[in-house]
């Protein structure tokens, strides 16, 4: 049954039904009863596999097509009227041309299938900052994931107005050559086809909350960012919040669920997770920045997640979770992935569904980009502010990436403008989260390269312009957990131990510690990072905090060639910041 009489909504759905020709249309009301019936149906068709319900209650495994296991940036388009508005870092096509192309692909694509209508809300339902959309999909997997990741169903329906975000997804025949993830920011339309992989087709996430929302944020004076939000409670009981932008599979979920080292816990430190992937950030009436997490679940990287690296994430996945492309342990019908523990299952199916055992393994059991979709409410450290419609006030913004060399463990920018520069020059080694060569270094400004829904130079200008409205701007930092030694091993222990760096960052925000000024910004005096209880020497730390002038001179060349593509649109402030850096690096 239709859940609304809103003509704008119904007319649009009618058009999509005429186009895709499903056998039936079902509205998702969000009730547990309806979702449970869909789980049963998906298990019957093999779309889902029910896991051991005693050990993993409410948990299921899904395998996506082996050609469809990561976001496809080369197939992702921003279609606005003028190519200039999409900028040099986005794929672009004329909207008319793209609509025509897509209409041919969607034509009759749901014949014999069911179309599900998912009304959903990004943010807290009813809050002044929430945004609403509908995703039409022929995938039960998408319905069940959206029900975890967003506030979906009946409760979103009364808020659907003229501005709602219109999304259409069809699995079609999963042809990688005809796979499209398309945003039409001028029409508030999202269309994805020929994929069933989460990051491509859970439209609330990257398509809406980043690509479309970054456009809305620019128009309305706020920021939609690829950021985690973490609350840090000190021994006095005060909670300070930081946000962090790292590219996909570079440590957001881990930092967002950080458990302080034992010594810190003894002293009364505690961390709270507000968000692990996306932050919508506005200027509050008090002149500070306030961040909300528009999502309701975590779509996290499975491999590497274990009881030591991220016990909170592991605990979060023990009920009501959908696993995608992990291995199936046949002995007890549970899941496994690399580094979950030291005991790979003797009898397993790998992420493709083929027999796998540690002795005969040709490759990993779980896909490197295998994922869990888990409800935020499962997380042992979920913040009491998680559902606060106003969000949380931000003391620090952290940028970071995966760099074997060059970037030190942490440094602080001189001011907002320099901080925007530091974000704009972010670089990181590519991961399995998107197609392409893993390990290749690329510039990924603010971790938004694949997600900024408009011209990157305009986006930087928007960041720069925000300064006018922020009476109390957060301090901006850069971190790198991933420096390696000559054997290629990570030097810094990372994970929970990152608390030591976070502590320094907070001290800087509240003027509680000094720093040394370098060519690239403020670096810690090595004695100011707490090393108690870890096996890192002062010397090693000094190495992690060194600035290699030769490498940084090379870095500035890289920045020049990256910036070159933006021509005259590059904000003058960033040009000046680069010149300043070059000056300081001169002998
Ligand atoms: P996200 O995709 O940005 O949320 O990244 P995740 O937090 O899921 O981490 C991606 C991968 O990086 C996982 O395999 C983690 O185990 C690994 N990782 C996360 N934080 C650290 C860290 O501090 N040090 C090291 N060496 N690896 C990390
Ligand atoms: P991630 O989220 O940032 O946690 O990897 C998914 C993605 O960015 O593709
Ligand atoms: Mn992400
Ligand atoms: Mn994550």
């Amino acid at each position: 049954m239709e859940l609304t009489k809103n003509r704008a909504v119904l007319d649009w759905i009618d058009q999509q039904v005429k186009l895709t020709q499903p056998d039936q249309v079902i509205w998702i009301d969000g009730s547990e009863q309806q979702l449970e019936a869909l789980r049963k149906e998906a298990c019957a068709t093999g779309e889902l596999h029910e896991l051991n319900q005693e050990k993993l209650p409410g948990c299921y495994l899904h395998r996506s097509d082996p050609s469809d296991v990561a976001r496809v940036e080369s197939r992702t388009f921003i279609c606005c009227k003028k190519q200039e508005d999409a900028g040099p870092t986005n794929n672009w096509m004329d909207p008319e041309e793209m609509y025509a192309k897509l209409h041919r692909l969607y034509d009759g694509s749901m014949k014999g299938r069911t179309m599900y209508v998912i009304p959903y809300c990004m943010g807290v339902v009813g809050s002044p900052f929430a945004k609403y959309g509908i995703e039409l999909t022929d995938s039960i997997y998408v319905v069940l994931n959206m029900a975890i990741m967003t506030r979906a169903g009946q409760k979103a329906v009364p808020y659907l107005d003229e501005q709602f975000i219109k999304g259409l997804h069809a699995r079609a025949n999963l042809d990688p050559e005809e796979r499209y993830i398309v945003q039409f920011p001028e029409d508030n339309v999202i269309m994805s086809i020929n994929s069933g992989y989460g990051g491509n087709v859970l439209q609330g996430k990257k398509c809406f909350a980043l690509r479309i929302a970054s456009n809305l944020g620019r128009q309305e004076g706020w920021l939609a960012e690829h950021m985690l939000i973490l609350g840090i409670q000190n021994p006095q009981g005060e909670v300070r919040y930081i946000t962090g932008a790292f590219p996909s599979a570079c440590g957001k979920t881990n930092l967002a669920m950080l458990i302080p080292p034992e010594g810190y816990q003894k002293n009364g430190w505690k961390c709270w997770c507000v968000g692990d992937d996306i932050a919508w950030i506005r200027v509050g009436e008090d002149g500070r920045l306030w961040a909300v997490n528009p999502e309701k679940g975590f779509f996290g990287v499975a491999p590497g997640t274990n009881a030591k690296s991220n016990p909170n994430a592991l605990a979060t996945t023990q009920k009501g979770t959908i696993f995608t492309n992990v291995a199936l342990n046949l002995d007890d019908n549970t899941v496994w992935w690399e580094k979950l523990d030291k005991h790979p299952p003797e009898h397993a199916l790998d992420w493709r569904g083929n027999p796998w055992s540690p002795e005969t393994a040709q490759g990993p059991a779980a896909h490197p980009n295998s994922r869990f979709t888990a409800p935020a409410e499962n997380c042992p450290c979920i913040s009491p502010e998680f559902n606060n419609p106003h969000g949380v006030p931000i003391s620090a913004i952290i940028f970071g990436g995966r760099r074997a060399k060059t970037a030190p463990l942490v440094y602080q920018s001189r001011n907002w403008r320099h901080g925007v520069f530091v974000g704009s020059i972010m670089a990181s080694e590519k991961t399995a989260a998107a197609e392409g060569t893993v390990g290749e270094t690329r510039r990924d400004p603010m971790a938004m390269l694949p997600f900024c829904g408009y011209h990157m130079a305009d986006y930087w200008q928007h960041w720069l312009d925000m300064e006018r409205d922020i009476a109390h701007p957060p301090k901006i930092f850069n971190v790198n957990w991933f420096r390696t030694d000559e054997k290629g091993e990570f030097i810094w222990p990372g994970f929970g131990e990152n608390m030591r760096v976070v502590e320094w960052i907070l001290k800087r925000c509240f003027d509680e510690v000094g720093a040394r000024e370098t060519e690239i910004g403020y670096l810690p005096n090595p004695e100011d990072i707490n090393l108690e209880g870890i096996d890192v020497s002062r010397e090693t730390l000094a190495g992690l905090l060194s600035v290699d002038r030769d490498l940084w001179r090379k870095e500035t060349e890289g920045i020049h060639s990256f910036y070159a593509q933006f021509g005259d649109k590059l904000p003058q402030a960033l040009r000046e910041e680069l010149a300043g850096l070059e000056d300081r690096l001169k002998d």
Side-chain angles (χ1 to χ4, degrees):
M1 233 203 37
E2 290 158 358
L3 295 182
T4 180
K5 296 200 162 46
N6 183 326
R7 241 10 290 168
V9 172
L10 294 178
D11 287 348
W12 170 72
I13 295 176
D14 279 348
Q15 286 164 18
Q16 314 314 309
V17 168
K18 284 207 184 82
L19 173 64
T20 57
Q21 300 162 40
D23 278 12
Q24 56 170 342
V25 178
I26 294 180
W27 278 73
I28 298 302
D29 60 22
S31 68
E32 179 50 30
Q33 193 189 0
Q34 186 186 38
L35 295 175
E36 185 55 23
L38 289 172
R39 288 181 202 116
K40 290 250 146 58
E41 185 179 336
C43 287
T45 60
E47 189 176 350
L48 286 186
H49 168 85
E50 189 181 62
L51 293 163
N52 184 324
Q53 293 298 298
E54 257 155 51
K55 293 189 173 170
L56 296 169
C59 293
Y60 297 83
L61 168 66
H62 171 81
R63 295 190 194 97
S64 66
D65 190 86
S67 76
D68 187 26
V69 291
R71 286 185 293 97
V72 279
E73 294 176 5
S74 62
R75 316 290 316 164
T76 300
F77 287 75
I78 302 296
C79 294
C80 39
K81 285 196 195 76
K82 288 195 259 162
Q83 178 164 15
E84 161 95 347
D85 293 337
T89 58
N90 281 311
N91 298 311
W92 176 87
M93 200 186 284
D94 174 72
E96 295 306 317
E97 202 182 316
M98 182 59 95
Y99 279 127
K101 180 189 275 294
L102 289 175
H103 283 171
R104 281 195 296 278
L105 294 175
Y106 281 101
D107 190 3
S109 64
M110 294 193 192
K111 268 187 196 151
R113 302 176 63 82
T114 300
M115 174 191 278
Y116 300 96
V117 181
I118 317 172
Y120 67 100
C121 169
M122 300 309 291
V124 177
V125 179
S127 119
F129 307 131
K131 305 267 178 202
Y132 303 86
I134 289 183
E135 178 165 357
L136 305 175
T137 179
D138 58 354
S139 158
I140 295 180
Y141 171 78
V142 168
V143 172
L144 296 174
N145 275 271
M146 285 290 284
I148 297 172
M149 295 303 297
T150 72
R151 290 150 174 106
Q154 175 74 66
K155 54 184 174 279
V157 175
Y159 299 94
L160 293 168
D161 58 11
E162 310 288 272
Q163 264 102 55
F164 82 99
I165 309 299
K166 307 174 175 78
L168 178 63
H169 164 241
R171 280 170 54 88
N173 52 17
L174 297 179
D175 179 358
E177 306 293 318
E178 298 282 16
R179 188 166 292 156
Y180 285 95
I181 318 300
V182 187
Q183 287 71 204
F184 300 90
E186 287 151 351
D187 306 336
N188 286 339
V189 167
I190 301 165
M191 298 175 87
S192 49
I193 190 159
N194 282 316
S195 173
Y197 168 74
N200 294 327
V201 300
L202 306 180
Q203 294 181 345
K205 196 174 189 47
K206 307 302 186 181
C207 305
F208 181 163
L210 290 176
R211 299 194 190 99
I212 296 286
S214 59
N215 276 278
L216 299 175
R218 181 189 183 202
Q219 291 155 28
E220 299 167 5
W222 53 280
L223 297 164
E225 297 299 325
H226 191 202
M227 288 181 180
L228 69 100
I229 312 169
L230 170 69
I232 302 112
Q233 183 174 328
N234 66 19
Q236 291 75 48
E238 298 152 332
V239 186
R240 269 91 188 238
Y241 297 90
I242 63 175
T243 63
F246 313 154
S248 304
C250 290
K252 289 182 302 303
T253 302
N254 273 269
L255 188 62
M257 297 183 188
L258 181 140
I259 296 182
E262 221 167 277
Y264 281 82
Q265 289 182 39
K266 273 204 197 112
N267 290 336
W269 291 87
K270 191 167 177 9
C271 289
W272 302 101
C273 174
V274 182
D276 83 324
D277 195 48
I278 296 174
W280 285 359
I281 304 176
R282 292 183 174 74
V283 185
E285 277 164 22
D286 60 359
R288 292 188 290 176
L289 284 184
W290 289 71
V292 299
N293 169 12
E295 299 190 285
K296 190 178 76 73
F298 305 118
F299 183 63
V301 176
T305 306
N306 60 52
K308 192 159 173 285
S309 65
N310 194 347
N312 281 328
L314 198 61
T316 304
T317 63
Q318 299 304 292
K319 61 179 184 196
T321 295
I322 300 172
F323 296 93
T324 303
N325 297 334
V326 299
L328 176 64
N329 182 341
L330 292 172
D331 289 329
D332 64 353
N333 193 27
T334 59
V335 287
W336 194 82
W337 50 78
E338 273 61 29
K339 295 203 192 148
L340 171 62
D341 52 41
K342 294 209 175 74
H343 313 287
E346 278 307 315
H347 308 97
L349 298 183
D350 69 7
W351 62 275
R352 289 188 178 86
N354 295 327
W356 187 96
S357 79
E359 290 79 34
T360 60
Q362 301 281 318
H367 188 276
N369 189 40
S370 54
R371 298 266 170 172
F372 55 80
T373 316
E377 65 193 26
N378 284 1
C379 181
C381 63
I382 196 72
S383 165
E385 304 301 318
F386 180 74
N387 285 312
N388 186 335
H390 299 287
V392 293
I394 299 307
S395 300
I397 293 174
I398 306 179
F399 295 118
R402 229 174 237 275
R403 296 297 295 271
K405 300 265 166 327
T406 317
L409 181 61
V410 58
Y411 70 99
Q412 183 189 351
S413 66
R414 295 152 187 275
N415 49 42
W416 180 268
R417 190 180 106 147
H418 181 230
V420 175
F421 171 70
V422 167
S424 80
I425 64 168
M426 259 174 71
S428 193
E429 290 146 24
K430 288 187 75 175
T431 67
E435 90 273 37
T437 318
V438 171
E440 218 170 78
T441 303
R442 71 164 178 183
R443 301 265 152 216
D444 187 350
M446 282 84 167
M448 283 289 278
L449 185 72
F451 308 122
C452 180
Y454 59 101
H455 197 298
M456 186 61 78
D458 288 333
Y459 166 76
W460 291 331
Q461 191 60 55
H462 179 46
W463 263 83
L464 292 163
D465 291 345
M466 288 289 292
E467 189 181 11
R468 273 197 310 256
D469 303 330
I470 317 172
H472 308 290
K475 303 266 196 298
I476 301 180
F477 298 80
N478 193 87
V479 300
N480 177 23
W481 315 137
F482 299 95
R483 282 263 279 249
T484 54
D485 60 18
E486 48 306 326
K487 284 186 249 133
E489 311 227 348
F490 296 121
I491 302 172
W492 177 249
F495 302 102
E497 311 301 347
N498 294 333
M499 179 69 202
R500 299 160 192 278
V501 174
V502 170
E503 185 189 17
W504 182 82
I505 286 173
L506 286 177
K507 279 190 176 157
R508 288 296 295 167
C509 293
F510 293 91
D511 294 323
E512 293 164 8
V513 71
R516 72 194 160 97
E517 194 166 354
T518 73
E519 298 86 338
I520 63 171
Y522 299 109
L523 265 85
N525 296 307
E527 65 272 19
D528 289 335
I529 302 262
N530 174 14
L531 295 180
E532 229 174 275
I534 45 168
D535 195 15
V536 176
S537 69
R538 286 283 155 206
E539 256 178 342
T540 305
L541 180 66
L544 285 168
L545 295 174
S546 61
V547 178
D548 183 324
R549 292 170 64 93
D550 286 337
L551 283 180
W552 272 93
R553 275 191 212 111
K554 268 207 202 90
E555 189 72 2
T556 56
E557 287 165 24
I559 299 166
H560 261 295
S561 46
F562 178 64
Y563 272 0
Q565 65 187 308
F566 303 103
D568 290 348
K569 279 210 124 183
L570 182 74
Q572 182 60 19
L574 298 186
R575 211 183 303 271
E576 287 167 16
E577 288 294 342
L578 178 55
L581 175 61
E582 286 175 314
D583 254 5
R584 295 191 294 274
L585 288 166
K586 278 199 190 115
D587 294 310

